[in-house]
Amino acid sequence: MSADVILSGALTGLEGPLLFARREANVALNDAVEVIGREGRGRVGRVSALDEEAMVIEVLESTTGLDLDGTRIRIRQRPLEMALGPGLLGRVFNSVGAPIDGGPALPAERRQRVDGMAINPAARDLPRDFIETTVSTIDLMNSLVRGQKLPLFSCGGLPHDRLATQIAQRARLRDAQAGEFCVVFVGIGVPYDTAENFRYAMEKSGALAHTAMFLNHADEPSTQRLLTPRFALTAAEYLAFVEDRHVLVVMTDMTNYCEALREVSASHGEIPSRKGYPGYMYSDLATIFERAGCIKGLPGTLTQLPILTMPGDDIGHPIPDLTGYITEGQIVLGRELDRKGVYPPVEVLPSLSRLMDAGTGKGYTHPDHPALSNQLFACYARASRARVLASVMGVDGLPETDRRFLEFGDAFEERLVSQQYPRTLEESMALGWELLRALPVSELTRLSGEQLACYIEAPAEAG
Amino acid sequence: MTQAVIQWIGGPVLKARVSEPFQIHEALAVGEQRLLGEVIQLSGDLLTAQVYEDTTGLKPGDPVVGSGLPLSVALGPGILGNIFDGLLRPLSEASGHWFQPGLAAARSGQFRFEPGVGEGDELAGGQVFGQVDGPGPGRACLVPPLLSGRVRSIRPAGTYAEDEPVLEIEDAGGRVHRVAMQHDWPVRRPRPAAERLSADAPMVTGQRILDTLFPVARGGRAALPGGFGTGKTVLQESLAKWCDADVIVYVGCGERGNEMADVLDEFPHLEDPRTGRPLMERTVIIANTSNMPVAAREASIYTAITVAEYFRDQGLHVALMADSTSRWAEALREVSGRLGELPGESGYPAYLASRLADFYERASRVKALNGEEGSVTVIGAVSPPAGDFSEPVTSHTKRYVRSFWALDRGRAQARSYPAIHPLKSYAEDVDTLARWWQLQGNSEWREYRRRLLGLLESQARLERMARIVGKDSLPPEQQLTLLAADLMNEGFLRQSAFSEVDRFCSPKRQTAMLRLMMQFIDLAGEAVAAGTPPAEIAAMPILRTLQRLGEEFGEDDLERQSEVASEIGAAFNALNDHKEAADVG
């Protein structure tokens, strides 16, 4: 590793986050640099383009206070890295991985590139271990498995943070070999109280010692927001693949990340794509979300639970849309349910877990779990259609069967979606069967004869 | 080997000062790591190139070395059954946990070679000069398409490395060419064939809604557009598993890594229903996941279709699953943006449509150079933003495909998979393919298909009406139409990809199921005409049997299905008797 080089007086221009300088040292693309202003404060940056005489440096923090003559540039001659070592858990860090809890710096046992590297697709292990979140709409209807990336699509003002906190506190594996579980909380452009509430909740449940927090507050520069998840995931990868833990990464709010991406792209003068977001937003988000996974031969896993608030409550907006194309499903929260007082307000129909089939059923959860959830989906979809009809011509105008579906729909929301206390998967399943018993047997076409006999027609034995 | 020196670099694009002539689209080795790149512009003594790998660490002054050839891949017996990156470099567990730039080494498989020609034989391009041992199809060794001449020498049977010359050919000009079991072919150039043939038979997919309603011809092209969560990938995987092609090329272009893991986990354990061999033996996976370099994503589609054409040239039927062509188009957009080209619609380059056309036109049924018949069927997934089919990639794709399978969010949310919307999808080769169904003993296919589509069309119309007047106020025939359409949706069109019994449905079983459904609908129509209320028909227990027909009666139970036919008859007789008794009483 070559030594750092310091250039002074090399700046030729400053434009937003971009710094133009004469290339007076041996610099390579993506080298990390520290831009030191007259006041002596260092800012993180990287070389984003260069030719024989000049180079462009992207400053990843605020450029306020920099000038052309007094600014020095320290060139690291290696890409942006994070120093990692034992003792990550229980600590709080800022966007660029420096402790902000007053504690000592981490021992630097190894350095890892914050951009991460793509997991070799052939070395990936298929995620299969069911995680019990104790939330019925997730466990029963859209199961989460280790190594999955499952975002919460929410809207402003909905209790997504509360739900994420509860999942972080309660999530567990069903069998004994649970291994070491830990949480990495990433606050991206979050208000102070969101971060504090999370910290307090984790502390109260005694889980703070298994949690590392990376915070980028709402008033910090947006360029730093692009770094927060990368530093946090680098730490998470260290916890998962070096220290062999099972890591759950909770990231809130990815919408702030995307807004920052748009802002930075615009300041680079790039050609915008949909709604002003850069055309590479899909690839950029993928470099974050694809860092979830399991690797063959390594015991640790990395699971992601990103949270995003849909601008204008619109699921077709580029942020949820591109996220949905990358992640393995989504849990959608709805305002209507929230207004009805249903907590957690999970909209079951647009929610989906793509890895559910790999992690549920015989040998994983319960042999009848997939059929039950399938049947509940079909019935609830039917109930929603009946609601549309009822809204036009009134409940009385509906045929008998449709009226029973309407009742089923209400019961489903009030009893299964809404929950005040944690439920095991068995409890959720028992509730599901009970709800189905209110419907005519002839409508339950997704269940086999044996399932009907066991759970619907002779419920006493099934318990 | 021509040389150049990097002058400017930003992201995956670089400019280099050349001292010797380079060709456009020439493949390059960039920097000390010898990263793969391609020349995309030449201007004076400057060339512009895109690099297919992570360019971190490159700097002005680093060397760029030309290969003298356009971007090419090595086609040979080591391809089948394996997984590669977008540039056909092998990925395996052995190559480490992380994908690394310059992850170089070419394949170095050893194969047992059996010569098929002798000294002095005349050979033309594309002809077979030997075979390799091994399981699965695609074991012929081909003469490179543009080479022909007289065999000067050929190695005896034995085990050789894939890239070791085994044959020497002297062309008409007296030049000697050394040929190995594998040969290079530029990915952006279609491989030549003797003759293009027109469609004659469908590619049987084993999916009822496709084979019966929207078939795709062998050598045809289909698009599969759908928003996220509508089941594109599951359907693509089902097709890869159960369609009746000899070779499957599956390209994951800018998609999820866990999906590749799923395919790699599942395929070796699944059996091909026709040959009884592991599915992996007939499969090639090309993986460029969404977090791998974008420029390689652009190339991966061409790599895949070149591999498909190579197997076609051996007289095989190949199906190419591209998931997703939208990511490929986005890669085009990204590279175009970095070059500062003028953007067209939605920021895509103006040449998007012609690139899509070039790609889909490489799907074909041909007489190969060696006289055998082969085909490449392309099935491209499209991921339109916000599920909006009017966006550029979907609308341009629509112009070049002959089968359009539109996925619908409403159907997906009710977990009614495959979520293909029957009224928004189409297939253009129906008339040609009806002959094939006739040969399979289903001469009513076209008529059934027309009735089924008519039924679904009426359903949409009647449901709109029912929303205003109420379902009960519809006349009995129309209520029956709704009931029949529900039965077709639930009992016939829905098919679970995860059900051991129903994930594959042979044309024979599809025909049998369709006949039972139509028998029921006809009898129910007669009963309603005779005055039976539709509610009584909806309450018939036989309806449940029909709704679960796919799930309960597998491929081995075709005999039992004929019993269902008599049960249906009996059920309606009982209904009529009951009604007559009631009328008399």
Side-chain angles (χ1 to χ4, degrees):
Chain A
M1 205 177 289
S2 23
D4 292 355
V5 180
I6 297 188
L7 298 180
S8 43
L11 282 198
T12 56
L14 244 169
E15 211 181 292
L18 298 185
L19 225 141
F20 301 86
R22 282 187 296 278
R23 181 171 171 250
E24 291 172 351
N26 194 18
V27 186
L29 192 68
N30 284 347
D31 273 359
V33 297
E34 190 181 3
V35 179
I36 308 160
R38 212 179 266 279
E39 80 281 36
R41 189 166 71 84
R43 296 160 176 85
V44 180
R46 71 171 120 204
V47 178
S48 67
L50 71 167
D51 65 13
E52 283 143 349
E53 284 96 40
M55 59 184 169
V56 183
I57 292 169
E58 182 186 0
V59 182
L60 303 164
E61 300 182 48
S62 162
T63 49
T64 308
L66 294 181
D67 62 20
L68 293 185
D69 302 330
T71 302
R72 286 172 300 148
I73 306 167
R74 183 199 300 264
I75 294 163
R76 302 269 186 210
Q77 302 206 324
R78 56 174 185 265
L80 209 51
E81 289 172 330
M82 180 174 183
L84 289 160
L88 262 170
L89 295 177
R91 302 294 305 273
V92 185
F93 303 89
N94 68 3
S95 314
V96 289
I100 48 169
D101 52 2
L106 280 185
E109 277 194 357
R110 54 161 64 210
R111 309 184 69 88
Q112 276 174 222
R113 275 186 65 181
V114 297
D115 283 331
M117 282 182 291
I119 300 178
N120 176 358
R124 272 186 190 267
D125 213 353
L126 186 64
R128 279 190 183 281
D129 298 326
F130 174 78
I131 299 179
E132 193 173 70
T133 62
T134 72
V135 179
S136 298
T137 39
I138 299 180
D139 291 350
L140 179 60
M141 307 296 287
N142 297 290
S143 313
L144 175 69
V145 296
R146 264 182 186 170
Q148 188 174 12
K149 39 195 180 295
L150 187 66
L152 286 178
F153 283 12
S154 185
C155 314
L158 295 189
H160 42 263
D161 290 328
R162 180 173 157 206
L163 181 60
T165 311
Q166 279 178 357
I167 294 173
Q169 283 170 339
R170 295 177 187 159
R172 63 175 188 99
L173 281 164
R174 287 159 57 81
D175 45 25
Q177 33 112 11
E180 266 208 80
F181 185 78
C182 67
V183 176
V184 173
F185 177 86
V186 194
I188 305 164
V190 289
Y192 173 80
D193 33 338
T194 304
E196 184 54 27
N197 285 345
F198 182 82
R199 198 195 62 78
Y200 176 72
M202 293 309 271
E203 188 174 28
K204 214 173 67 176
S205 67
L208 198 61
H210 308 290
T211 305
M213 294 177 75
F214 286 78
L215 297 180
N216 165 265
H217 289 292
D219 54 357
E220 284 176 296
S222 53
T223 29
Q224 268 190 24
R225 245 156 250 169
L226 303 184
L227 290 178
T228 321
R230 298 202 156 81
F231 273 94
L233 284 167
T234 307
E237 277 169 357
Y238 173 83
L239 289 168
F241 303 126
V242 178
E243 293 194 346
D244 297 342
R245 290 172 212 268
H246 298 289
V247 188
L248 176 69
V249 183
V250 178
M251 293 190 275
T252 183
D253 175 334
M254 287 309 287
T255 303
N256 294 340
Y257 176 87
C258 296
E259 295 299 341
L261 195 67
R262 175 164 68 175
E263 194 180 323
V264 171
S265 162
S267 68
H268 285 208
E270 289 163 347
I271 294 167
S273 167
R274 250 196 322 157
K275 296 207 171 173
Y277 294 96
Y280 54 77
M281 190 154 90
Y282 175 85
S283 305
D284 190 274
L285 286 173
T287 60
I288 293 174
F289 294 137
E290 277 292 322
R291 289 170 85 168
C294 313
I295 297 180
K296 285 180 187 155
L298 295 182
T301 58
L302 204 164
T303 311
Q304 287 185 12
L305 195 69
I307 298 169
L308 59 88
T309 46
M310 299 182 279
D313 298 1
D314 172 15
I315 200 169
H317 185 279
I319 297 174
D321 193 50
L322 294 179
T323 303
Y325 275 122
I326 304 166
T327 55
E328 283 128 4
Q330 66 277 340
I331 303 292
V332 182
L333 304 188
R335 210 177 277 290
E336 201 181 324
L337 284 175
D338 187 53
R339 270 200 293 264
K340 281 190 200 167
V342 173
Y343 174 84
V346 175
E347 295 269 15
V348 170
L349 293 181
S351 299
L352 170 76
S353 167
R354 291 167 192 272
L355 297 179
M356 184 163 175
D357 301 292
T360 58
K362 202 169 162 218
Y364 300 102
T365 52
H366 188 283
D368 297 324
H369 179 178
L372 171 61
S373 99
N374 207 331
Q375 183 66 66
L376 284 169
F377 265 115
C379 291
Y380 188 55
R382 175 87 189 265
S384 307
R385 280 204 302 276
R387 272 185 193 166
V388 175
L389 287 180
S391 67
V392 181
M393 55 189 164
V395 177
D396 297 337
L398 292 182
E400 166 66 16
T401 325
D402 281 352
R403 280 204 298 275
R404 286 176 70 177
F405 271 104
L406 270 188
E407 283 160 23
F408 167 83
D410 292 338
F412 182 83
E413 285 169 9
E414 281 158 26
R415 300 187 47 205
L416 193 130
V417 177
S418 172
Q419 65 181 100
Q420 294 307 319
Y421 303 101
R423 283 189 202 127
T424 63
L425 178 67
E426 284 70 25
E427 287 165 347
S428 301
M429 283 185 68
L431 200 53
W433 294 121
E434 197 186 319
L435 291 172
L436 287 182
R437 269 175 232 139
L439 291 171
V441 172
S442 58
E443 299 291 334
L444 305 179
T445 54
R446 312 247 171 132
L447 302 179
S448 69
E450 295 95 73
Q451 285 162 343
L452 279 183
C454 178
Y455 299 104
I456 305 294
E457 282 151 0
E461 295 148 53
Chain B
M1 294 285 173
T2 44
Q3 294 269 356
V5 172
I6 297 183
Q7 190 260 337
W8 174 91
I9 177 145
V13 178
L14 64 82
K15 291 186 199 299
R17 186 161 291 127
V18 301
S19 41
E20 297 150 285
F22 276 76
Q23 304 159 11
I24 193 94
H25 295 151
E26 182 170 345
L28 305 169
V30 178
E32 273 136 32
Q33 280 179 295
R34 300 180 58 79
L35 307 176
L36 193 57
E38 185 180 13
V39 179
I40 44 182
Q41 274 174 14
L42 289 168
S43 148
D45 66 344
L46 275 189
L47 69 78
T48 307
Q50 61 176 328
V51 182
Y52 289 118
E53 302 178 67
D54 182 9
T55 47
T56 297
L58 287 181
K59 52 187 183 293
D62 281 353
V64 174
V65 182
S67 65
L69 285 172
L71 183 67
S72 302
V73 293
L75 302 166
I79 296 178
L80 215 56
N82 289 312
I83 173 167
F84 301 91
D85 74 356
L87 304 163
L88 212 67
R89 294 174 303 190
L91 290 172
S92 68
E93 268 180 81
S95 43
H97 293 149
W98 307 97
F99 178 75
Q100 300 196 343
L103 174 101
R107 306 188 299 270
S108 54
Q110 299 267 331
F111 291 89
R112 177 140 183 100
F113 171 73
E114 196 69 47
V117 293
E119 264 170 53
D121 286 355
E122 287 291 337
L123 275 179
Q127 285 190 325
V128 179
F129 66 85
Q131 297 283 339
V132 295
D133 261 4
R139 297 285 152 188
C141 300
L142 300 182
V143 178
L146 304 180
L147 184 64
S148 59
R150 204 163 43 79
V151 176
R152 231 170 80 119
S153 72
I154 185 158
R155 304 281 287 270
T159 302
Y160 304 97
E162 214 180 331
D163 55 357
E164 187 181 341
V166 287
L167 170 75
E168 280 185 338
I169 291 182
E170 191 177 336
D171 66 18
R175 277 181 42 187
V176 176
H177 303 265
R178 288 149 63 90
V179 180
M181 284 182 263
Q182 69 174 37
H183 64 263
D184 288 337
W185 187 261
V187 294
R188 294 183 205 276
R189 177 132 139 246
R191 285 173 64 91
E195 192 185 335
R196 267 186 94 122
L197 307 172
S198 54
D200 67 337
M203 182 175 82
V204 176
T205 63
Q207 308 297 309
R208 286 189 289 271
I209 191 165
L210 298 184
D211 290 344
T212 298
L213 284 186
F214 307 111
V216 59
R218 274 205 161 142
R221 28 196 196 274
L224 187 59
F228 65 82
T230 48
K232 286 186 298 296
T233 301
V234 175
L235 186 56
Q236 286 266 28
E237 284 183 16
S238 292
L239 294 178
K241 284 173 199 163
W242 311 120
C243 80
D244 70 343
D246 301 315
V247 171
I248 305 292
V249 181
Y250 191 101
V251 50
C253 173
E255 287 290 315
R256 303 174 184 88
N258 280 336
E259 281 168 5
M260 296 291 118
D262 188 23
V263 173
L264 284 178
D265 181 73
E266 200 175 10
F267 275 37
H269 308 295
L270 287 176
E271 251 181 31
D272 184 338
R274 277 161 296 272
T275 60
R277 306 285 313 176
L279 276 179
M280 199 63 204
E281 279 179 8
R282 66 163 194 176
T283 308
V284 183
I285 298 172
I286 294 174
N288 181 272
T289 56
S290 52
N291 55 345
M292 283 155 80
V294 173
R297 192 186 302 165
E298 196 263 328
S300 65
I301 287 274
Y302 295 105
T303 303
I305 197 143
T306 307
V307 168
E309 285 173 343
Y310 167 68
F311 289 111
R312 174 201 74 186
D313 291 348
Q314 299 184 28
L316 297 167
H317 295 288
V318 187
L320 170 71
M321 316 288 165
D323 187 12
S324 138
T325 55
S326 293
R327 305 295 161 231
W328 168 72
E330 282 166 12
L332 272 185
R333 175 169 71 185
E334 201 172 322
V335 174
S336 156
R338 285 195 196 273
L339 296 176
E341 289 170 346
L342 209 58
E345 202 181 345
S346 296
Y348 287 106
Y351 47 77
L352 172 70
S354 49
R355 291 287 173 87
L356 276 168
D358 288 348
F359 168 66
Y360 281 107
E361 272 305 300
R362 287 174 77 171
S364 56
R365 189 169 82 93
V366 300
K367 199 169 116 193
L369 292 176
N370 59 15
E372 305 244 15
E373 184 200 316
S375 69
V376 175
T377 310
V378 172
I379 293 163
V382 185
S383 320
D388 168 18
F389 289 179
S390 65
E391 59 92 39
V393 182
T394 318
S395 55
H396 288 311
T397 300
K398 221 169 169 175
R399 298 196 285 145
Y400 306 119
V401 297
R402 296 192 58 83
S403 301
F404 189 75
W405 303 331
L407 292 173
D408 180 59
R409 183 154 281 168
R411 285 181 169 249
Q413 290 189 351
R415 302 304 192 257
S416 185
Y417 291 119
I420 294 170
H421 197 296
L423 302 181
K424 291 182 191 156
S425 307
Y426 59 78
E428 293 182 34
D429 289 321
V430 169
D431 294 337
T432 332
L433 302 181
R435 275 199 298 280
W436 181 87
W437 278 97
Q438 213 160 7
L439 293 176
Q440 304 296 307
N442 182 355
S443 42
E444 311 97 317
W445 177 70
R446 202 149 36 146
E447 174 59 17
Y448 279 165
R449 180 178 181 275
R450 197 191 51 74
R451 274 187 69 187
L452 183 47
L453 283 175
L455 194 61
L456 296 165
E457 181 84 52
S458 316
Q459 181 196 26
R461 189 168 44 80
L462 292 176
E463 276 189 344
R464 273 199 301 275
M465 207 190 290
R467 212 168 282 175
I468 303 165
V469 300
K471 224 183 235 175
D472 288 345
S473 333
L474 294 177
E477 299 78 45
Q478 296 189 345
Q479 287 187 33
L480 181 69
T481 304
L482 288 178
L483 178 82
D486 271 345
L487 170 65
M488 294 312 296
N489 274 319
E490 186 67 23
F492 189 78
L493 299 182
R494 187 169 75 83
Q495 186 177 0
S496 168
F498 300 102
S499 156
E500 299 264 325
V501 180
D502 207 22
R503 57 194 184 187
F504 170 76
C505 191
S506 64
K508 214 167 151 192
R509 187 155 76 100
Q510 297 188 26
T511 305
M513 284 178 70
L514 201 53
R515 282 198 179 125
L516 287 179
M517 303 275 174
M518 290 298 173
Q519 182 199 359
F520 178 87
I521 292 171
D522 287 342
L523 287 174
E526 285 169 23
V528 168
T532 310
E536 268 182 45
I537 291 180
M540 286 171 81
I542 190 79
L543 203 54
R544 184 180 154 84
T545 315
L546 286 176
Q547 278 168 334
R548 291 187 57 82
L549 210 54
E551 194 61 49
E552 309 267 343
F553 296 81
E555 294 297 326
D556 313 327
D557 287 335
L558 286 177
E559 296 292 308
R560 274 210 300 146
Q561 287 214 7
S562 53
E563 294 167 25
V564 178
S566 27
E567 279 172 43
I568 295 176
F572 275 99
N573 284 337
L575 195 72
N576 288 340
D577 292 349
H578 178 71
K579 181 174 167 291
E580 274 161 28
D583 287 351
V584 172

